[in-house]
Amino acid sequence: MPKLLAYIPCENVLIDEFTKNASITAVISEIGIKIPQGFPVPSKGTFIIAMQWNIFSLWEWEEIDSNLEFETKSQLVAQSGEVLFETNITESKKEPHKNFQRNIDRITGFPIWVSGRVELRLMFRVKGSGEFLQRASYPILVIYGNVQ
């Protein structure tokens, strides 16, 4: 089973052409929303801010993983348990002479109809094995503020 080394929401992932190493910039921990005075608080499913961001994960393959294929997806989940969005499934398979697997989900938009703590969850399964299981989580705080 591959070992998860990193699971990070961020604004940018830069890959060095020579070393192929990744640089993560602007790690996301809070999303601040300014609401003009007199405007309603966002309601369910109607407000998504235009925002480009990424979800970066880095895995280390183990020797016993030589024929393993796995699938991952991320979910953004409110405290109520409501899934606010879900990424497409990413398939991964160990390539010969590669020790690491890097996955980057590029996201456009962020749902803001729920304020407070939301959780980004990394879901994992061995390909063809049935249900996804949670492998990691990352908290993000959505904060409403008034514009005076």
Side-chain angles (χ1 to χ4, degrees):
M1 192 74 66
K3 178 181 175 183
L4 180 64
L5 301 176
Y7 181 61
I8 304 168
C10 58
E11 288 186 17
N12 299 299
V13 179
L14 307 170
I15 307 299
D16 183 273
E17 287 184 45
F18 180 70
T19 65
K20 304 299 182 207
N21 287 326
S23 293
I24 309 299
T25 63
V27 173
I28 297 170
S29 59
E30 293 183 359
I31 304 288
I33 310 302
K34 298 284 187 189
I35 301 172
Q37 201 163 15
F39 278 70
V41 172
S43 58
K44 183 177 178 176
T46 59
F47 286 88
I48 296 176
I49 57 171
M51 175 180 164
Q52 298 284 331
W53 59 294
N54 299 279
I55 303 170
F56 175 83
S57 60
L58 181 65
W59 302 82
E60 181 180 23
W61 292 105
E62 296 182 1
E63 286 186 35
I64 60 171
D65 294 334
S66 61
N67 294 317
L68 182 72
E69 294 181 52
F70 70 93
E71 299 173 322
T72 59
K73 64 181 178 179
S74 289
Q75 298 176 328
L76 188 67
V77 182
Q79 288 180 332
S80 67
E82 174 189 4
V83 176
L84 305 175
F85 85 83
E86 184 171 275
T87 63
N88 293 327
I89 294 172
T90 300
E91 295 182 4
S92 301
K93 181 178 182 178
K94 184 168 183 352
E95 296 178 29
H97 310 293
K98 277 189 79 178
N99 295 323
F100 299 96
Q101 172 70 38
R102 177 177 54 223
N103 295 337
I104 303 168
D105 288 311
R106 300 188 193 291
I107 313 294
T108 301
F110 196 98
I112 59 163
W113 61 87
V114 172
S115 66
R117 181 187 165 119
V118 295
E119 189 173 88
L120 190 63
R121 294 180 182 169
L122 176 62
M123 308 302 287
F124 173 96
R125 73 176 173 197
V126 173
K127 189 171 181 177
S129 69
E131 272 189 59
F132 279 90
L133 301 174
Q134 184 177 326
R135 280 293 291 269
S137 66
Y138 190 99
I140 299 174
L141 190 59
V142 178
I143 304 168
Y144 293 163
N146 290 329
V147 175
Q148 301 295 326

